[in-house]
Amino acid sequence: MSKIIEADVIVCGGGPAGVNAAIAAGRGGAKTVLIEKYGFVGGMSTAALVYPWMTFHTTEGKQVIGGIAQEIVDRLVKLNASPGHVRDTVGFVHTVTPYHPEVYKVLAVDMLKEAGVKLILHSFGDEVRMTGDRIDSVQMTSKSGKMYVKGKVFVDATGDADIAYLSGAPCLKGRDGDRLTQPMTMKFRMRGVDLARVKRYMLEHPEEFYGKTPFAESAPSAAYRGARLLPALERSGFADPARSGALFYRPRGGRGAGQYDPGAGTGRHGRGGFDGSGRAWPEAGADSGGIYEKPSAGF
């Protein structure tokens, strides 16, 4: 006879979404079960190099994700397993959040235990039993055989809508028409990289990199930006005010000291340019995705 487990909330899938959902339910007083097919939680964050987390912020830099997710980051920081939110040097998003996947695995289990969540590993749902239009139970298959998990609320955090599909709910796959999906990303990590040399190369060849890369935040001085970086950006088209607006920076004094000047001229695009040069720099919050911050003196 198959074993039956009953709970208030059943969460299927132990990735970041499932972990957070289960912790929230458990802390709210609900008897909660989390089902995960691997022998550890974390999903793609710990099993497939989907790293770092991106992003907790809007393109303008406003943090919009908090709650349990931020608590996890804070606890990882205390464990010396994450630097917290750091600027995305590629410019794809505003910030990224690196973390140690092995520490995250353990921390997530600790937090689930603290919340009173029952964790079932090496198990996946392969059948859904319905009563009318509601899910009554999910059949799980594991090394220990089959079992049924009955609950009042079911959360599908499988990543592939497994429970929704098995329950007969309408599901979408891929894009309209040919239903093709995004190709898998080939990722790898490297050690022994000369990061300073990489940074120099990026600053000297910005046209070879993503158009929203925040080069200005990596440039050592205003003089460098004026003499080396800006011409390269202009050649690539990244500094065209018609494309991305402008941030005005009026060099003043010696040794690269400068002052942010939002009124240093206005051009036909209503943005203006570098004082006396007409050159434009991408503006924070414009089409640049908000990746350039207001410079300060000596930046």
Side-chain angles (χ1 to χ4, degrees):
M1 183 176 178
S2 299
K3 181 179 180 181
I4 298 177
I5 298 175
E6 296 190 40
D8 297 318
V9 177
I10 310 298
V11 181
C12 299
V19 166
N20 289 13
I23 291 172
R27 288 180 178 179
K31 184 178 180 181
T32 305
V33 172
L34 174 61
I35 304 168
E36 167 55 40
K37 67 178 181 179
Y38 293 128
F40 51 86
V41 297
M44 296 298 95
S45 291
T46 54
L49 287 178
V50 179
Y51 166 99
W53 289 320
M54 16 177 235
T55 173
F56 282 61
H57 299 77
T58 66
T59 53
E60 291 77 26
K62 178 183 178 181
Q63 183 164 347
V64 292
I65 297 176
I68 294 172
Q70 181 60 49
E71 180 184 342
I72 289 173
V73 173
D74 293 340
R75 291 180 65 164
L76 286 171
V77 170
K78 290 181 180 179
L79 292 169
N80 197 33
S82 172
H85 309 305
V86 297
R87 200 71 165 87
D88 177 19
T89 54
V90 175
F92 185 70
V93 292
H94 190 82
T95 61
V96 294
T97 310
Y99 59 93
H100 194 301
E102 298 303 316
V103 177
Y104 171 48
K105 284 181 185 178
V106 177
L107 174 62
V109 172
D110 287 344
M111 294 179 69
L112 289 165
K113 184 176 180 180
E114 292 166 5
V117 176
K118 180 179 180 63
L119 177 61
I120 303 176
L121 300 172
H122 298 292
S123 305
F124 64 93
D126 57 4
E127 181 182 323
V128 172
R129 292 187 174 183
M130 307 287 293
T131 299
D133 61 352
R134 295 183 63 83
I135 297 176
D136 176 68
S137 64
V138 171
Q139 175 183 281
M140 294 190 318
T141 298
S142 71
K143 286 293 203 176
S144 301
K146 295 185 182 297
M147 65 184 76
Y148 289 92
V149 182
K150 299 172 64 74
K152 300 174 183 177
V153 175
F154 290 82
V155 179
D156 188 340
T158 61
D160 294 316
D162 290 346
I163 306 305
Y165 177 79
L166 290 171
S167 69
C171 296
L172 298 176
K173 178 182 177 181
R175 64 191 182 188
D176 294 338
D178 56 20
R179 302 182 69 191
L180 290 177
T181 58
Q182 177 179 326
M184 291 182 290
T185 301
M186 298 296 291
K187 299 190 71 173
F188 59 91
R189 298 180 70 179
M190 300 175 64
R191 290 184 179 273
V193 177
D194 187 341
L195 295 178
R197 185 176 179 184
V198 171
K199 181 178 178 180
R200 288 196 302 271
Y201 187 91
M202 290 178 69
L203 291 172
E204 293 171 357
H205 304 278
E207 67 279 0
E208 297 182 18
F209 296 88
Y210 184 53
K212 293 183 179 181
T213 301
F215 297 107
E217 296 180 16
S218 298
S221 66
Y224 183 97
R225 289 195 295 273
R228 301 286 298 280
L229 183 56
L230 183 60
L233 285 170
E234 287 177 329
R235 287 195 302 273
S236 68
F238 293 156
D240 180 0
R243 293 179 54 183
S244 58
L247 179 69
F248 307 105
Y249 192 78
R250 175 185 293 163
R252 182 176 70 180
R255 303 177 62 181
Q259 175 181 333
Y260 174 75
D261 186 356
T266 56
R268 62 186 177 90
H269 304 291
R271 301 289 186 179
F274 279 97
D275 183 44
S277 70
R279 292 173 173 172
W281 194 265
E283 176 183 65
D287 187 53
S288 62
I291 61 171
Y292 294 96
E293 304 290 347
K294 183 174 88 169
S296 58
F299 176 79

